[in-house]
Amino acid sequence: MHLLKVSILTFLVTTFSFLQQSRADTSVPPIKTQVQEVAQWFTGFFDNAQQIANSPSVPLITMSNCSVQLDDTNPLANTQNVYLEQESPGFERLRLYSFNEENSAVNLSISSFLNENTVRGLCNHSQSRRQLSINNVEKNTCNLQLFWEPKSYIGNNAPDGCITSNGFKVVSDVTIEQSSIDSLDKIFDKKGNLLVATPIEFRRVNSVPEPSVTFGLLALGIWSTKNTISDWRKQKSKKNKTSVSS
């Protein structure tokens, strides 16, 4: 009887601990933490090469996202700014993604640039040089809310979407996880006809490396190659001397 009571007590304690842990794992983090987390997950190098393996008709798209600083004198509190650069054989897309606090979700504002030539390749620079002028950012933004779920952030801006410069409407769905970004942009013409609706499945290739590290590895490679060539020339010179003396 004593052993039975001990077993029941152990079971109850274990069950209670499991429920407590489960609740802790699924508790919604503060909005401030969500802003920082989703911006971090969104940052890095991505492509949709895995998707193309199963859907060859989908174009290859590479995406470089890196954190940037705006020269705004009055920045929004707890705003994470990320520069996005997408490249494909058919198009190029350069945008500023700003993540900030909303009442119960993360607000995502997407802005275009007035002069794209001044920002192209921004992620190739060091963190200290990733500066953007607020005067080069379009004032009109496309917005959607991202809602936290365990291990992901999900958002869409249906049914209103965003109106483009040519009068088309873009309705976006996005799911952001730690190593992936799945997006679907539905483009409608002025009459409401659906023109494009191709889901893109981005997978993380790498984080954004600091150029100092990249350049250091490059310098090391050049130094090693230079030494190898120098040693080869010395060995060749010795062989030639030996041949002449013999």
Side-chain angles (χ1 to χ4, degrees), residues 212-236:
S212 58
V213 176
T214 305
F215 294 153
L217 293 174
L218 179 61
L220 179 61
I222 294 174
W223 178 81
S224 299
T225 303
K226 188 175 181 181
N227 284 348
T228 301
I229 294 174
S230 178
D231 293 340
W232 177 78
R233 286 179 175 175
K234 289 179 181 179
Q235 292 178 1
K236 185 176 181 181

Side-chain angles (χ1 to χ4, degrees), residues 42-48 60-68 81-88 91-97 110-111 113 115-125 130 132 181 202 208:
F42 194 79
T43 301
F45 294 144
F46 300 83
D47 66 30
N48 64 329
L60 175 65
I61 303 175
T62 60
M63 182 168 65
S64 303
N65 305 337
C66 56
S67 60
V68 294
N81 295 303
V82 178
Y83 168 76
L84 174 144
E85 183 169 324
Q86 292 180 347
E87 288 186 298
S88 178
F91 73 93
E92 177 188 59
R93 184 169 178 265
L94 312 179
R95 294 291 187 271
L96 174 65
Y97 279 58
I110 305 172
S111 308
F113 298 101
N115 184 356
E116 294 185 339
N117 293 327
T118 62
V119 299
R120 186 177 288 107
L122 194 62
C123 292
N124 295 329
H125 299 298
R130 295 179 198 151
L132 288 176
I181 301 173
F202 289 105
V208 178

Side-chain angles (χ1 to χ4, degrees), residues 141-186:
T141 63
C142 181
N143 297 284
L144 58 85
Q145 289 186 322
L146 298 170
F147 294 91
W148 178 90
E149 290 192 5
K151 300 182 180 180
S152 67
Y153 291 86
I154 298 176
N156 68 77
N157 55 6
D160 297 332
C162 295
I163 305 301
T164 65
S165 58
N166 56 8
F168 290 1
K169 182 173 73 172
V170 181
V171 177
S172 301
D173 289 272
V174 62
T175 299
I176 302 174
E177 297 183 356
Q178 190 169 10
S179 298
S180 65
I181 301 173
D182 292 339
S183 64
L184 172 61
D185 290 332
K186 298 178 181 178

